Amino acid sequence: MVEQFLSGKVAIVTGANTGIGKAIAEELAKRGAKVVVNYRSHPERTDEMISAIKAAGGEAMGAQADVTHLDQLQAVVDQAVSSYGRLDIMVNNAGLETRTSVLDTSPEDYDRVLDVNLKSAFFGTQFAAKQMIKQGGGGRIINISSVHEDWPMPNNTAYCLSKGGVRMLTRTAGVELAPHGITMVNIGPGAVDTPINASYAGNKTLLDKLDAAIPLGRMAEPQEIASVAAFVASDGASYITATSIFADGGIMQSSPGL
């Protein structure tokens, strides 16, 4: 029997009907949380997710919103509270990348990446924290960041910049929110087998090169990131805040050994 150590908790996961967000929403629900699955498009995927969660004995609901529009993001928080009575766990997961360099990133690319990856995490943190303070009892804010909050990735400059911002958001806001009993942690995945890395999965040469750079020899599965998120959301992580946890298979420490 799966231990439901999040029973009675209410969670929001943004960008949650695909990839890492989907795995996190499903894992939190499996652990007993009532989960609000935020999504921007493909409502049919969300419906399938929620049906599967409920069939497994969990509880979840969908909340369509573009998290770069702050009124819509606030509405997701309001929907969680009106439906489930409170908010205990906020997972700022929505993200994208353009894989463009500093020389060829357009203003439109820049705005899109920073709005989704950083602005939504900043105000998702603000809106969730205000609700947590209002209701009392503290809470957990989890940002799905990246190894690239600290580790350069040439030709993906705006993405790295956005994740570097998320790093300092967590460090600074985590200190500000600590007196309220709200902890804040980044989870920094390395390469994960999700649609964002489909270019590797479909190209054996690229995939072999990537796997060779990872000490564990493979990309992560989304579930391996989700299990870290469930731990961070649990009482077992009650003394971890204003920092990042990397789940990267050791890639940040890899070396050619020259």
Side-chain angles (χ1 to χ4, degrees):
M1 182 177 177
V2 175
E3 184 183 359
Q4 294 196 323
F5 50 74
L6 298 178
S7 181
K9 303 294 186 182
V10 177
I12 293 171
V13 185
T14 66
N17 68 356
T18 188
I20 292 172
K22 179 176 184 288
I24 291 173
E26 291 171 339
E27 180 67 15
L28 297 183
K30 184 170 73 173
R31 296 298 180 176
K34 298 174 182 177
V35 181
V36 177
V37 177
N38 161 251
Y39 65 99
R40 186 179 67 85
S41 56
H42 296 289
E44 71 283 357
R45 293 180 188 166
T46 307
D47 292 342
E48 290 172 7
M49 271 184 71
I50 291 171
S51 294
I53 287 170
K54 289 182 176 179
E59 192 165 351
M61 62 181 292
Q64 187 170 21
D66 181 337
V67 295
T68 67
H69 294 281
L70 300 187
D71 57 338
Q72 296 183 36
L73 181 56
Q74 178 66 65
V76 175
V77 174
D78 294 342
Q79 188 173 347
V81 176
S82 64
S83 298
Y84 295 136
R86 58 185 297 109
L87 176 61
D88 304 286
I89 303 159
M90 180 71 177
V91 183
N92 294 307
N93 166 78
L96 59 79
E97 61 182 8
T98 56
R99 300 225 173 187
T100 51
S101 75
V102 71
L103 295 178
D104 60 14
T105 297
S106 69
E108 293 77 18
D109 286 340
Y110 178 92
D111 287 343
R112 190 156 58 99
V113 172
L114 271 290
D115 282 355
V116 174
N117 295 3
L118 182 56
K119 180 181 177 181
S120 76
F122 184 99
F123 286 99
T125 294
Q126 183 187 102
F127 298 160
K130 286 183 175 180
Q131 173 59 34
M132 291 168 182
I133 292 167
K134 179 181 177 181
Q135 72 196 21
R140 300 275 192 274
I141 298 174
I142 302 168
N143 293 321
I144 305 306
S145 182
S146 167
V147 293
H148 300 299
E149 71 170 54
D150 189 56
W151 196 45
M153 184 180 184
N155 300 310
N156 205 4
T157 310
Y159 179 82
C160 293
L161 176 62
S162 70
K163 295 303 184 180
V166 171
R167 176 183 182 180
M168 288 309 300
L169 168 63
T170 294
R171 289 184 171 195
T172 307
V175 171
E176 292 178 350
L177 297 173
H180 300 285
I182 300 170
T183 65
M184 196 165 176
V185 175
N186 278 359
I187 298 173
V192 184
D193 188 8
T194 65
I196 203 170
N197 285 319
S199 60
Y200 290 103
N203 185 317
K204 188 176 186 306
T205 300
L206 283 177
L207 182 60
D208 288 348
K209 183 178 180 181
L210 175 62
D211 287 347
I214 302 170
L216 286 183
R218 61 175 178 82
M219 286 195 285
E221 293 298 326
Q223 177 57 38
E224 292 178 292
I225 309 305
S227 64
V228 179
F231 164 68
V232 172
S234 75
D235 289 344
S238 59
Y239 205 62
I240 304 174
T241 198
T243 192
S244 300
I245 296 174
F246 294 104
D248 69 344
I251 195 171
M252 292 177 74
Q253 314 306 325
S254 62
S255 167
L258 301 178

